[in-house]
Amino acid sequence: MAIALPKPIADYFAADAAKDADGVARCFSDEAIVRDEGHAYSGRDAIRQWKTASSQKYSYTVEPVAIAMEGDRTVVTGHVAGDFPGSPVDLRYGFTLDGGKIAGLEIVA
């Protein structure tokens, strides 16, 4: 069963599924920060480079399976499967939204 996601988050997952790093970057505000695998990526250019590198490194799919609010963050649990060590895994995507854009994203296991 599909879950209803706020538009910026739905757009993020759609662009990620299409392996569209530019589309992913457009989902974020100019000063957004992404935290993933112990690294932080600040700004759209760094986010575009992060997404390009991660999409080239592994082949994967993400299926959002749950959504919850935790304070000011929208947390989406995504079932991630692919050719990476430990696949499949459920990851938590913690989104902070601002003005119709993603201002922050933290991805954790």
Side-chain angles (χ1 to χ4, degrees):
M1 176 174 106
I3 59 173
L5 299 172
K7 184 171 177 12
I9 296 173
D11 291 348
Y12 167 84
F13 283 113
D16 187 36
K19 306 299 183 223
D20 179 2
D22 289 329
V24 166
R26 283 192 298 274
C27 296
F28 289 85
S29 65
D30 291 338
E31 298 82 27
I33 297 174
V34 171
R35 289 182 171 79
D36 184 35
E37 295 183 337
H39 300 289
Y41 307 92
S42 181
R44 284 189 181 151
D45 287 338
I47 291 168
R48 181 181 302 104
Q49 291 170 9
W50 158 73
K51 185 44 65 181
T52 297
S54 65
S55 294
Q56 290 174 348
K57 188 175 180 182
Y58 299 116
S59 233
Y60 61 90
T61 60
V62 181
E63 178 186 357
V65 295
I67 186 170
M69 291 301 299
E70 293 182 5
D72 65 345
R73 294 183 346 144
T74 303
V75 178
V76 176
T77 301
H79 185 73
V80 185
D83 62 358
F84 56 89
S87 176
V89 64
D90 287 341
L91 297 178
R92 291 171 38 94
Y93 294 74
F95 293 93
T96 304
L97 302 178
D98 183 25
K101 295 286 186 179
I102 300 168
L105 169 60
E106 182 177 22
I107 303 171
V108 296

